[in-house]
Amino acid sequence: MVRVLYVTGWCRSGTTLLGNLLGECDGAVHVGELRYLWTNGVLGRGTNTLCGCGLDVASCPLWKAVVARVAGDDPEWHAERAVRLQQAALRTRHTGRRLAEARGVRAGHPAVAALAALYTAIAEESGARLIVDTGKFPAEAAALCGAPGVDARVLHVVRDPRATAESWRRAKEYIPAMGAARSTAYWTGFNLASERIARAFPRRSLRLRYEDFTADPRGSLARVMAHAGLDGDPPVGADGRADLGVNHTVTGNPDRLRRGPVRIREDDAWTRTQPTPARLVSTALALPLLARYRYPLVPAPARPPAPARPPDGEPSRQERQERQEGAV
């Protein structure tokens, strides 16, 4: 059995960082948003073709081996077929049908077997005991719960919709911007679909709020590791500091390319920077789910950033002002 931890929810919720942290655990590999292997890595039609290791996906030794194992001598033909199957069966609107198959109510779609074969190839080429996929497509998570040869675990990550909307307001390298209404509509749809998976397979599902993760990274990561069947200590200190190595993410947030020391803490600047109209739109569209996920109707303002500390031996701005006032 290939064990997969599939992350659902909506984008800009810290899932790329969470996946990379899990990828630091012994026996785990984080593949990013695996759905885009075919469009980005083989067909070259996506917004970004880089693997997390810094090479093009098509040149990365791991992905070259995986594609060769799955697609044989004609990777472009296989990629075209894979994309057609995704569009036909693995979009969010298909979550209910994939859940019915996972419960044995209806026969499985060919897309499910193709997805299972891809995970098997990744496990064989990487030697990993756990594959972490931060794709966030609920239909894929639903399909995996009934996929042959797959031991699927689902992690539903939630963040305040006002925060994700503000994050989407600005383009980020190869990811274009998105308006508050569209972002929150996706946030609502993806989270409602993820709820359906949790109701159908409660023992396979775990929910994690971004705000809880950033408040207690080590404790939250320990819960996720236990859910995914990973042993050992979480690869993050009690102070939220971690050290990231090389990963093989197909795509995802551009921060996936970051290596070295990182500190995990909540990004709450959105409470100061988000325009009022955008906040009102996002609040109204997400209103039915705010209380369910313990988000207040009116977000508390973030503390202003601490002033920069002057070098040792130099007086602070306040001290200089006090000295000037004393001199007068």
Side-chain angles (χ1 to χ4, degrees), residues 139-159:
E140 293 188 340
L144 289 176
C145 288
V150 176
D151 176 9
R153 316 291 171 90
V154 180
L155 176 65
H156 177 196
V157 178
V158 181
R159 187 183 183 187

Side-chain angles (χ1 to χ4, degrees), residues 94-119:
H94 302 128
T95 302
R97 296 178 185 176
R98 302 292 79 80
L99 282 175
E101 294 170 1
R103 294 194 299 263
V105 176
R106 54 187 293 169
H109 193 280
V112 179
L115 192 59
L118 179 56
Y119 286 117

Side-chain angles (χ1 to χ4, degrees), residues 153-221:
R153 316 291 171 90
V154 180
L155 176 65
H156 177 196
V157 178
V158 181
R159 187 183 183 187
D160 192 307
R162 282 77 58 101
T164 59
E166 174 64 4
S167 179
W168 274 107
R169 188 164 67 93
R170 298 177 179 84
K172 194 168 186 177
E173 294 186 36
Y174 50 81
I175 302 178
M178 184 185 300
R182 186 180 180 192
S183 168
T184 310
Y186 278 126
W187 181 92
T188 302
F190 276 55
N191 284 318
L192 284 174
S194 299
E195 293 271 358
R196 296 185 66 180
I197 300 169
R199 288 195 298 270
F201 296 97
R203 294 183 179 180
R204 293 179 183 239
S205 302
L206 175 70
R207 184 187 303 146
L208 175 67
R209 297 195 326 155
Y210 162 89
E211 293 79 8
D212 296 333
F213 168 58
T214 54
D216 181 15
R218 187 173 174 85
S220 297
L221 202 60

Side-chain angles (χ1 to χ4, degrees), residues 44-301:
R45 298 175 186 165
T47 57
N48 180 260
T49 61
L50 281 180
C51 174
C53 68
L55 298 173
D56 276 344
V57 171
S59 301
C60 170
L62 172 63
W63 294 117
K64 282 179 66 176
V66 169
V67 170
R69 182 182 286 268
V70 174
D73 297 331
D74 198 346
E76 289 193 8
W77 179 89
H78 187 93
E80 294 282 8
R81 177 178 180 270
V83 171
R84 288 196 301 270
L85 289 174
Q86 289 172 351
Q87 292 298 313
L90 296 175
R91 301 178 69 179
T92 303
R93 67 186 66 171
H94 302 128
T95 302
R97 296 178 185 176
R98 302 292 79 80
L99 282 175
E101 294 170 1
R103 294 194 299 263
V105 176
R106 54 187 293 169
H109 193 280
V112 179
L115 192 59
L118 179 56
Y119 286 117
T120 300
I122 294 170
E124 291 173 345
E125 292 295 339
S126 67
R129 293 183 289 108
L130 175 73
I131 299 169
V132 182
D133 185 343
T134 48
K136 293 177 288 296
F137 281 89
E140 293 188 340
L144 289 176
C145 288
V150 176
D151 176 9
R153 316 291 171 90
V154 180
L155 176 65
H156 177 196
V157 178
V158 181
R159 187 183 183 187
D160 192 307
R162 282 77 58 101
T164 59
E166 174 64 4
S167 179
W168 274 107
R169 188 164 67 93
R170 298 177 179 84
K172 194 168 186 177
E173 294 186 36
Y174 50 81
I175 302 178
M178 184 185 300
R182 186 180 180 192
S183 168
T184 310
Y186 278 126
W187 181 92
T188 302
F190 276 55
N191 284 318
L192 284 174
S194 299
E195 293 271 358
R196 296 185 66 180
I197 300 169
R199 288 195 298 270
F201 296 97
R203 294 183 179 180
R204 293 179 183 239
S205 302
L206 175 70
R207 184 187 303 146
L208 175 67
R209 297 195 326 155
Y210 162 89
E211 293 79 8
D212 296 333
F213 168 58
T214 54
D216 181 15
R218 187 173 174 85
S220 297
L221 202 60
R223 286 179 58 218
V224 175
M225 290 173 62
H227 177 63
L230 285 174
D231 301 321
D233 293 328
V236 58
D239 59 355
R241 297 182 187 274
D243 192 63
L244 297 177
V246 177
N247 65 75
H248 289 287
T249 49
V250 171
T251 193
N253 191 299
D255 291 344
R256 68 196 175 90
L257 302 170
R258 183 177 176 184
R259 302 176 193 173
V262 296
R263 185 179 179 187
I264 304 161
R265 52 187 173 185
E266 183 176 4
D267 178 9
D268 57 4
W270 64 272
T271 61
R272 297 189 303 269
T273 62
Q274 187 173 40
T276 300
R279 181 168 303 179
L280 292 175
V281 166
S282 186
T283 300
L285 291 176
L287 191 59
L289 289 176
L290 287 181
R292 179 168 180 78
Y293 298 141
R294 295 185 286 116
Y295 293 125
L297 187 63
V298 179

